[in-house]
Amino acid sequence: MNRAPLHALQGFLAAARLGNLSRAAESLHLTVSALSHQMRGLEERLGQQLFVRSSRGVCLTADGQRLLDRVAPHLDAINQAMQPFAARHDNRLTVSVTPSMASAWLVPRLGSFLAAHPQIEFSLQSSPQVVDFSRDLQVDAALRIGLGQWPDVIAEPLFDEWIVPMASPALVARMGDPAPADLADWPLLGDPDGQWNRWFEQRGGQPPARYAASFDDSEAHHRAALDGVGVALGRITRARLLLDSGQLVALTRERLKTNYAHYLVYPERSATHRGLLAFRDWLRQQAAEHTAHMAKAMPAAARAGNPD
């Protein structure tokens, strides 16, 4: 066999890891048709089918998995070795963020940053997956929610995450204004993080024997409350625009802090990126304003039980 087709192998690696040709092509700055052509050429060269293609994406065949296991460590090593020599463009900034955080918090504020820094070419990658900075060298930073204990990144806290029972105005009108201890009589939506027990421990009352419905996804959890299915113990950051607009109603003004917080995270290679430094300063200001707004609109719930 002639010299290994490195470009095709890089394309194969991206498609295998992302499971989607469109996203893989975007990460490599290729068209989908160009990447598909590379994959077909690689399969013909090897005489093996590497992917099973479907409307939902691509998945590896057994031969594809064997090829991935053999070439991935070597391609990763090459990328790692080249990293110190990669050209950095301080006027280009790529940030990864989850779709819910992008739509509910970052994007509504982003105009002020872009207006203040028109020289920065800003790119937002919206994905529920945690970006691997060692592999995706085009991403400079990310916004994450968690405990702040991610390996091999710098994690700077922005603001805490708070929860409060919230429901649609139609459900509130049907059920009447609740006392916090009466919430168990309402149709409650089981939340993805299992925080209802903490809420009742600290605010009084007993959790219901069963929930009206349960969700393992925060997006669906909030959507169900918006549609009047029941009461969500919702994340205020995710729902703030809905609360401010009256599409959701907080059933009490007192909120409860979760164990999670929002962070700006980035690899060491981005620590002196001038575009990121400008974004970080702007982000800190936005986080401070968000925190002040929450403190004024909803005081923290009094502690009556377990600490956060």
Side-chain angles (χ1 to χ4, degrees):
M1 183 179 291
N2 295 330
R3 183 179 303 172
L6 289 180
H7 283 87
L9 289 175
Q10 290 281 14
F12 165 76
L13 184 63
R17 284 174 168 165
L18 295 174
N20 184 284
L21 289 181
S22 296
R23 289 174 54 201
E26 182 180 357
S27 71
L28 297 169
H29 302 287
L30 296 173
T31 65
V32 176
S33 61
L35 181 59
S36 297
H37 180 73
Q38 282 188 2
M39 294 306 95
R40 285 193 298 270
L42 184 61
E43 288 177 325
E44 292 173 1
R45 180 186 182 95
L46 299 176
Q48 304 287 347
Q49 182 181 357
L50 302 176
F51 294 103
V52 176
R53 296 161 175 82
S54 70
S55 58
R56 300 182 63 181
V58 295
C59 61
L60 290 171
T61 63
D63 289 321
Q65 185 63 52
R66 280 194 293 271
L67 179 63
L68 178 66
D69 293 341
R70 292 188 177 188
V71 304
H74 301 288
L75 293 177
D76 288 340
I78 292 173
N79 288 333
Q80 193 70 26
M82 292 295 294
Q83 185 173 317
F85 305 99
R88 190 182 77 183
H89 303 281
D90 282 351
N91 63 335
R92 297 178 186 173
L93 178 63
T94 298
V95 177
S96 174
V97 63
T98 62
S100 60
M101 185 64 173
S103 61
W105 196 87
L106 181 59
V107 172
R109 294 169 167 78
L110 195 55
S112 64
F113 173 75
L114 299 180
H117 302 279
Q119 77 283 5
I120 295 178
E121 182 181 334
F122 186 86
S123 177
L124 184 67
Q125 288 193 359
S126 179
S127 171
Q129 296 182 345
V130 175
V131 65
D132 185 341
F133 292 109
S134 67
R135 293 176 177 173
D136 197 340
L137 301 181
Q138 283 127 3
V139 178
D140 302 300
L143 298 185
R144 293 181 186 169
I145 181 172
L147 299 175
Q149 298 174 349
W150 297 283
D152 303 321
V153 296
I154 298 168
E156 299 188 5
L158 295 173
F159 53 87
D160 294 323
E161 182 59 273
W162 300 79
I163 51 178
V164 69
M166 56 186 69
S168 69
L171 182 62
V172 173
R174 187 166 77 246
M175 298 293 296
D177 291 334
D182 296 334
L183 277 177
D185 299 328
W186 287 49
L188 303 186
L189 303 175
D191 66 292
D193 299 322
Q195 294 287 335
W196 272 119
N197 287 340
R198 283 187 65 237
W199 177 268
F200 283 109
E201 286 174 3
Q202 298 204 21
R203 299 291 292 116
Q206 295 293 325
R210 61 180 296 273
Y211 291 99
S214 296
F215 303 88
D216 62 359
D217 174 73
S218 62
E219 185 77 19
H221 181 64
H222 289 87
R223 183 72 221 183
L226 189 63
D227 291 339
V229 177
V231 179
L233 190 56
R235 295 178 182 176
I236 295 178
T237 303
R238 168 68 182 82
R240 176 179 165 180
L241 295 178
L242 299 174
L243 292 168
D244 289 349
S245 67
Q247 297 179 72
L248 284 175
V249 177
L251 301 187
T252 172
R253 291 187 67 245
E254 294 190 350
R255 58 199 168 107
L256 183 66
K257 189 168 78 70
T258 72
N259 293 323
Y260 298 133
H262 293 271
Y263 292 82
L264 171 67
V265 301
Y266 51 91
E268 184 65 35
R269 60 178 163 82
S270 297
T272 57
H273 188 297
R274 287 195 294 271
L276 177 58
L277 295 180
F279 181 70
R280 183 183 65 180
D281 291 343
W282 172 84
L283 203 58
R284 288 172 174 171
Q285 179 183 7
Q286 297 300 312
E289 291 177 358
H290 172 78
T291 300
H293 175 86
M294 287 296 98
K296 181 178 180 181
M298 294 180 183
R303 298 173 186 267
N306 297 332
D308 292 323

